[in-house]
Amino acid sequence: MIIILSSCTLSPEQSGPVRTYILAPQLPPQTAASPTRLTLLVSTPQAAAGYGTPQIAYTRKPYELDYFSRNQWVDTPGRMLKPILVNALEASGLFQSVAPGDTRILAELRLDTEILRLVQDFSDQPSQSHLILRARLIDLARGEEIASRIFKAQEPAPEEGPYGGVIALNRALERILGELVAFCTQAYLKR
């Protein structure tokens, strides 16, 4: 009986509270001197298979995806990213109005995004956090894509473990947000 009970005890890695983390990058500075008269809708980012869960993904070798057992996102990455995209594009000063895609307002443009990769990679030391995001800017009046681009950012974790990965992912997202605002500006100007 004692052997059975001792085999049921939790290891230190499995005990303790579940820690939850958020995406909270610094927003890029305002880029446009005066806003256009355009309204932009930002749809909820979709996530590639494996990344549409609150579980925080990591990898140790190619083609294998694992999740931290006691560490997770506060929500799915797509739902966390949506207000960040809205706030960054609104802060850019380019658009008269920026709103979530489920808002019932008339708009000229829509930004669709997809999280292609959001993972901490332990195959190198220090571990690296990778974020890959596909963006498509849609002209709603014409029903056509104006521009599309894939954004990639990789940041070293300042410490090993899930918290270091979260810090690095937020830094990667800061870089991508700046590039995304520039992408929307350039796509609008070429329109």
Side-chain angles (χ1 to χ4, degrees), residues 4-59:
I4 295 172
L5 290 176
S6 67
S7 68
C8 293
T9 61
L10 297 175
S11 71
E13 298 169 338
Q14 296 173 330
S15 63
V18 172
R19 289 180 164 68
T20 55
Y21 302 100
I22 59 172
L23 290 173
Q26 291 185 352
L27 299 180
Q30 183 172 349
T31 56
S34 60
T36 65
R37 304 188 99 190
L38 300 174
T39 297
L40 173 70
L41 295 179
V42 178
S43 57
T44 301
Q46 301 300 307
Y51 305 112
T53 172
Q55 294 177 292
I56 298 177
Y58 72 92
T59 186

Side-chain angles (χ1 to χ4, degrees), residues 64-189:
E64 183 176 274
L65 195 62
D66 287 312
Y67 302 96
F68 292 107
S69 62
R70 306 299 296 172
N71 298 271
Q72 64 185 25
W73 296 114
V74 72
D75 203 341
T76 63
R79 288 177 52 173
M80 286 191 299
L81 188 54
K82 181 179 179 180
I84 293 168
L85 294 174
V86 169
N87 291 338
L89 288 160
E90 188 173 54
S92 75
L94 176 63
F95 301 99
Q96 179 177 337
S97 177
V98 180
D102 52 4
T103 305
R104 293 185 177 248
I105 60 171
L106 292 176
E108 293 78 22
L109 301 170
R110 184 182 73 226
L111 178 67
D112 294 336
T113 54
E114 181 182 6
I115 300 165
L116 301 175
R117 191 161 195 223
L118 181 75
V119 67
Q120 185 175 2
D121 185 351
F122 287 98
S123 64
D124 288 322
Q125 293 301 315
S127 63
Q128 303 286 313
S129 289
H130 300 268
L131 176 58
I132 301 176
L133 186 73
R134 179 192 334 247
R136 296 174 60 225
L137 195 60
I138 310 296
D139 182 321
L140 294 174
R142 297 182 193 163
E144 64 186 36
E145 181 179 289
I146 296 173
S148 67
R149 183 171 161 201
I150 293 179
F151 299 89
K152 298 178 182 182
Q154 175 180 321
E155 286 288 325
E159 62 184 65
E160 295 307 308
Y163 184 64
V166 168
I167 292 169
L169 281 169
N170 274 290
R171 289 178 183 161
L173 181 55
E174 286 174 14
R175 287 185 27 216
I176 285 179
L177 287 175
E179 293 173 13
L180 182 68
V181 168
F183 161 78
C184 289
T185 302
Q186 292 166 0
Y188 165 73
L189 294 175

